[in-house]
C-alpha cells in the first residue's frame, strides 16, 4: 500500500513557479468535469490541476512528484470510457490540452510531429489539406492524440488500416522520475531491442507521459463510398461479416447497427436517418484512388449481401447522405446514454467470425435478465460496444443484474477466444475482468513492467494491472 504525500502550500507554490499562477487550480476552483471521464461511474477530484505547456514543465513536475512521492495523472480531453484518467489518489492532474501545436509535417518521410493535446479532429483537417491521411478514426473527435496513443484507440477504419499503434512511429515521453526519453523516431523499421514505444502505446498513462508524437501518414485516398445495407434481423446482418471478409473485397469499415439504436440517434440528433424501416443494418465504407476500383469492391459486397438475404443496398455517395449516416453513427453512444438513467459498457473484441455468436448471446441475456442491452459496433474488426441500461431498475436490482450480465458476457467472450477490451482500454473499470482472463503469471509480468518504469508507483496508480 503506497503512502502518498498530501499536497500542501509548498507544493502549490512550486507548481505555480513552474507553469505560472493562472495555470494551477485547486480546491473548489477545479471544475467537476475533472473528477471523472465519460464513463461517469468512477470519480475523484485531483488535489491540484495543472495546465502544462511543454516537456520541460512536465519533466520538472514529474521529478518533483517523484522526489516527494506525489501521485500524478495525465489527462487529455477526458473522453475515456473506463475511468482511466480519474485521479483515484488525488494528487496532481496534468492536463495537456494546451500543448496543442502541430510541430512539423515531413512530406519526404510522410510523418506528422505534434504535441499531445492536438485534437483528433484537427489532425484530420490538417493532413487532408495536404492531401494526406491519418487513418485511425475513433468516434470521439474531440479526444487528444495523447489520449488516443495512451489508449491505443481504434475506430471505424481498423478493418483496413489498423489502429493508433500502427501509426505511431516515435514518441517523446517523460518518465515517472522526470527523465525525458525518445522512443522510435521517423524510421520505418525498427528491430532495436524491446519496443518501449509500443509499450507506452496503450499504457493508459501508467508508464510515462507522452509529450510529443511522430505519426505515420498515408496519401489521402481520392474516393470513398459507403453502403447502407438493411437486413430483416440482426443475426442475418452479422452473419454476413465473415462472408464479406472472405470475399477479399477489403472494406475500410464494417459497422453494424440495430433499428432501436438508430431511432435513439434520430431522437437525440433531431435528424432523420436515410432509412429505419428494417430491423438491422450493415454500414460499409470503401475507399481507393479511383471510382472504378471502389465500385469494383463495393459491387462484389453488394451482390453478395443481396444473394444472402439483404433487403436492399443504399449507396451513400452524396455529402448530404454521408453526413446523415455518419453523424448518426457518431452519436450512437451519446444517444443510448440519453435514452436511459445509467449505463455501463462492454467493449470486448472477439474473432470476426464469432461476432454473431456474441451478439446472439447478449440477446439471450436481455431476455433472461429482463434488462435492455442495446449494441452497435465495429463488426468488421470484431469489436463490439454493448450497453447495459439501468432504465427504471432500483439500485439493488441494477447492481445485481449489471454484475451478473457483465460476468456472463466476459466469460462468453473468453469462450469465443476474445479479449476484454478492443479499444477503450482497461483503466479502472475493467481490471477485474482482465485479471480473471490473463491469470497471475501474465499479470505479474505486467506489474513487473509497471515497476520497472515507475518504482514508486506514482503515475496513475490503481489502473490497468493494479
Ligand atoms: C462518444 C464517444 C465515442 C468514442 N469512440 C471511440 C472509438 O470509436 N474508439 C476508441 O478507441 N475510443 C472511443 N472513445 C473513447 C475515448 O475517446 C478514447 O479512449 C480516447 O483515446 C481518449 O482520449 P482523451 O484525450 O479524452 O483521453 P483521457 O480520457 O483524458 O485519458 C485517457 C487515458 O489516457 C491517458 N493520457 C491522456 N493523455 C496522456 C498523455 N499525454 N500521456 C500519457 N497518458 C495520457 C490518461 O491518463 C488516461 O489513462 C469514445 C468516447 C466517446 C465519449
Amino acid at each position: 500500500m503506497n503512502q502518498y504525500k498530501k499536497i500542501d502550500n509548498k507544493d502549490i507554490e512550486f507548481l505555480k513557479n513552474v507553469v505560472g499562477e493562472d495555470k494551477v487550480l485547486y480546491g473548489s476552483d477545479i471544475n467537476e468535469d475533472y473528477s471523472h471521464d465519460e464513463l461517469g461511474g468512477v470519480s475523484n477530484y485531483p488535489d491540484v490541476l495543472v495546465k502544462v505547456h511543454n516537456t520541460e514543465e512536465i519533466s520538472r513536475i514529474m521529478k518533483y512528484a517523484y522526489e516527494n512521492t506525489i501521485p500524478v495523472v495525465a489527462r487529455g480531453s477526458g473522453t475515456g470510457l473506463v475511468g482511466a484518467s480519474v485521479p483515484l489518489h488525488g494528487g496532481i492532474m496534468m492536463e495537456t490540452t494546451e500543448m496543442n501545436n502541430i510541430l512539423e509535417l515531413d512530406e519526404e518521410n510522410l510523418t506528422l510531429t505534434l504535441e499531445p493535446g492536438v485534437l483528433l479532429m484537427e489532425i484530420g483537417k490538417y493532413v487532408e489539406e495536404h492531401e494526406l491521411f491519418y487513418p485511425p478514426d475513433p468516434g470521439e473527435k474531440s479526444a487528444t492524440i495523447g489520449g488516443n496513443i495512451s489508449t491505443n484507440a481504434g475506430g471505424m477504419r481498423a478493418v483496413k488500416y489498423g489502429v493508433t499503434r500502427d501509426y505511431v512511429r516515435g514518441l517523446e515521453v517523460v518518465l515517472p522520475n522526470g527523465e525525458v526519453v525518445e522512443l522510435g523516431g521517423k524510421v520505418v523499421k525498427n528491430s532495436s531491442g524491446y519496443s518501449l514505444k509500443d509499450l507506452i502505446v496503450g499504457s493508459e498513462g501508467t508508464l510515462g507521459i507522452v509529450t510529443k508524437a511522430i505519426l505515420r501518414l498515408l496519401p489521402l485516398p481520392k474516393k470513398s463510398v459507403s453502403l447502407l445495407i438493411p437486413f430483416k434481423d440482426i443475426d442475418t446482418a452479422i452473419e454476413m461479416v465473415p462472408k464479406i471478409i472472405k470475399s477479399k473485397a477489403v472494406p475500410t469499415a464494417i459497422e453494424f447497427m440495430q433499428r432501436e439504436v438508430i431511432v435513439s440517434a434520430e431522437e437525440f440528433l433531431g435528424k432523420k436517418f436515410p432509412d429505419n424501416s428494417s430491423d438491422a443494418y450493415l454500414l460499409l465504407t470503401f475507399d481507393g484512388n479511383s471510382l472504378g476500383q471502389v465500385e469494383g469492391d463495393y459491387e462484389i459486397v453488394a451482390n453478395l449481401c443481396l444473394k444472402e438475404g439483404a433487403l436492399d443496398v443504399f449507396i451513400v455517395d452524396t455529402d448530404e447522405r454521408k453526413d446523415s449516416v455518419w453523424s448518426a453513427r457518431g452519436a450512437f453512444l451519446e444517444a443510448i446514454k440519453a435514452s436511459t438513467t445509467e449505463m455501463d459498457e462492454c467493449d470486448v473484441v472477439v474473432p470476426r467470425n464469432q461476432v454473431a455468436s456474441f451478439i446472439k448471446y447478449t440477446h439471450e441475456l436481455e431476455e433472461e435478465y429482463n434488462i435492455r442491452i442495446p449494441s452497435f459496433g465495429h463488426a468488421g474488426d470484431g469489436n463490439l460496444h454493448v450497453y447495459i441500461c439501468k432504465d427504471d431498475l432500483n439500485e439493488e436490482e441494477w447492481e445485481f443484474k449489471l454484475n451478473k450480465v457483465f460476468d456472463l458476457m466476459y466469460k462468453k467472450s473468453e469462450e469465443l477466444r476474445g479479449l476484454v477490451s478492443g479499444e477503450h482500454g482497461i483503466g479502472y473499470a475493467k481490471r477485474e475482468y482482465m485479471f480473471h482472463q490473463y491469470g497471475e503469471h501474465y499479470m505479474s509480468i505486467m506489474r513487473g513492467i509497471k515497476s520497472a518504469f515507475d518504482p514508486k508507483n506514482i503515475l496513475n496508480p490503481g489502473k490497468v494491472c493494479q
Side-chain angles (χ1 to χ4, degrees):
M1 190 60 192
N2 279 80
Q3 285 299 320
Y4 295 116
K5 176 185 175 299
K6 275 308 274 177
I7 296 283
D8 59 24
N9 288 339
K10 186 171 150 268
D11 304 325
I12 305 264
E13 280 316 304
F14 169 81
L15 294 168
K16 284 182 176 169
N17 242 319
V18 176
V19 294
E21 190 134 346
D22 57 330
K23 299 296 175 188
V24 179
L25 298 166
Y26 48 97
S28 58
D29 284 344
I30 301 177
N31 189 294
E32 191 264 341
D33 278 350
Y34 291 98
S35 67
H36 61 85
D37 65 3
E38 283 294 318
L39 170 75
V42 191
S43 69
N44 197 41
Y45 280 84
D47 293 312
V48 55
L49 170 67
V50 184
K51 303 196 180 204
V52 283
H53 295 94
N54 54 50
T55 308
E56 197 204 331
E57 286 176 3
I58 296 180
S59 165
R60 284 179 66 195
I61 296 171
M62 251 355 287
K63 187 164 185 288
Y64 181 87
Y66 186 77
E67 281 161 4
N68 291 284
T69 321
I70 298 172
V72 176
V73 173
R75 190 186 199 266
S77 299
T79 68
L81 294 165
V82 288
S85 66
V86 177
L88 296 177
H89 297 267
I92 301 170
M93 174 177 273
M94 285 202 237
E95 190 197 338
T96 61
T97 54
E98 292 183 13
M99 285 177 79
N100 56 4
N101 293 302
I102 292 181
L103 302 172
E104 184 201 34
L105 173 65
D106 180 342
E107 296 195 64
E108 292 179 348
N109 282 302
L110 285 192
T111 57
L112 184 73
T113 304
L114 72 186
E115 292 182 328
V118 177
L119 305 184
L120 190 56
M121 63 176 108
E122 289 160 359
I123 299 173
K125 191 164 158 275
Y126 180 85
V127 299
E128 280 173 30
E129 279 164 10
H130 295 85
E131 292 184 22
L132 291 167
F133 184 42
Y134 174 66
D137 187 31
E140 180 55 71
K141 308 294 186 245
S142 69
T144 63
I145 190 66
N148 272 193
I149 291 170
S150 304
T151 55
N152 188 24
M156 337 271 183
R157 299 191 194 116
V159 188
K160 179 168 177 181
Y161 291 106
V163 297
T164 302
R165 178 175 276 119
D166 302 312
Y167 294 87
V168 178
R169 282 250 202 271
L171 293 176
E172 179 187 84
V173 173
V174 174
L175 297 175
N177 63 4
E179 199 182 318
V180 182
V181 289
E182 285 189 15
L183 311 173
K186 286 186 181 176
V187 289
V188 172
K189 290 171 155 183
N190 183 357
S191 180
S192 322
Y194 302 147
S195 176
L196 301 189
K197 163 183 75 80
D198 287 302
L199 265 179
I200 295 287
V201 179
S203 64
E204 300 182 61
T206 60
L207 303 182
I209 300 189
V210 174
T211 48
K212 205 184 284 175
I214 302 174
L215 304 178
R216 165 190 170 215
L217 303 176
L218 298 180
L220 182 66
K222 295 190 172 59
K223 299 281 170 210
S224 151
V225 172
S226 296
L227 300 183
L228 180 67
I229 309 187
F231 290 86
K232 70 174 181 344
D233 57 41
I234 190 69
D235 293 348
T236 323
I238 296 183
E239 276 160 11
M240 270 315 299
V241 174
K243 295 177 192 163
I244 294 172
I245 289 162
K246 202 173 165 195
S247 78
K248 305 187 177 72
V250 200
T252 313
I254 313 178
E255 299 285 307
F256 80 91
M257 51 196 74
Q258 285 178 269
R259 187 169 185 281
E260 178 194 350
V261 178
I262 293 172
V263 171
S264 298
E266 286 182 328
E267 279 163 18
F268 180 75
L269 292 171
K271 220 156 103 177
K272 284 273 164 222
F273 198 68
D275 180 61
N276 70 10
S277 57
S278 300
D279 201 43
Y281 294 80
L282 289 183
L283 174 60
L284 295 103
T285 303
F286 297 84
D287 67 10
N289 281 331
S290 73
L291 195 56
Q293 180 200 344
V294 174
E295 277 174 358
D297 266 354
Y298 83 60
E299 273 169 15
I300 296 174
V301 173
N303 290 332
L304 185 65
C305 288
L306 287 168
K307 194 170 133 233
E308 301 275 342
L311 302 174
D312 207 339
V313 172
F314 302 114
I315 297 175
V316 182
D317 52 357
T318 63
D319 285 346
E320 196 189 345
R321 272 199 163 188
K322 278 185 193 166
D323 177 60
S324 81
V325 170
W326 286 103
S327 63
R329 166 61 189 87
F332 283 168
L333 195 161
E334 293 298 323
I336 295 175
K337 210 172 174 184
S339 76
T340 186
T341 48
E342 199 177 325
M343 64 175 203
D344 209 335
E345 186 208 44
C346 168
D347 155 59
V348 289
V349 58
V350 296
R352 295 184 282 187
N353 59 357
Q354 301 293 357
V355 172
S357 307
F358 192 84
I359 292 297
K360 259 187 217 161
Y361 186 65
T362 66
H363 291 150
E364 286 165 27
L365 292 176
E366 207 166 20
E367 289 282 308
E368 189 179 339
Y369 288 91
N370 189 23
I371 188 164
R372 197 160 64 89
I373 312 182
S375 58
F376 63 88
H378 312 303
D381 56 45
N383 181 204
L384 309 167
H385 296 329
V386 180
Y387 297 87
I388 328 292
C389 295
K390 184 177 177 208
D391 296 339
D392 50 11
L393 294 177
N394 67 35
E395 274 312 311
E396 201 183 325
E397 285 172 323
W398 167 237
E399 283 298 313
F400 172 77
K401 291 190 181 189
L402 178 67
N403 289 330
K404 193 77 202 164
V405 166
F406 258 1
D407 284 350
L408 290 167
M409 285 199 312
Y410 285 107
K411 196 158 158 264
K412 184 70 180 179
S413 142
E414 251 184 271
E415 263 171 51
L416 298 174
R417 307 198 71 78
L419 295 171
V420 173
S421 171
E423 58 181 19
H424 294 161
I426 298 299
Y428 177 75
K430 306 295 182 242
R431 292 167 311 136
E432 293 301 329
Y433 301 110
M434 185 180 74
F435 297 170
H436 181 267
Q437 174 156 21
Y438 282 164
E440 200 35 53
H441 184 57
Y442 197 124
M443 289 314 304
S444 74
I445 296 174
M446 273 206 205
R447 287 177 190 132
I449 292 169
K450 167 71 175 163
S451 72
F453 276 84
D454 185 13
K456 290 181 108 178
N457 193 26
I458 55 164
L459 198 53
N460 208 0
K463 307 290 171 57
V464 188
C465 61
Q466 296 186 323

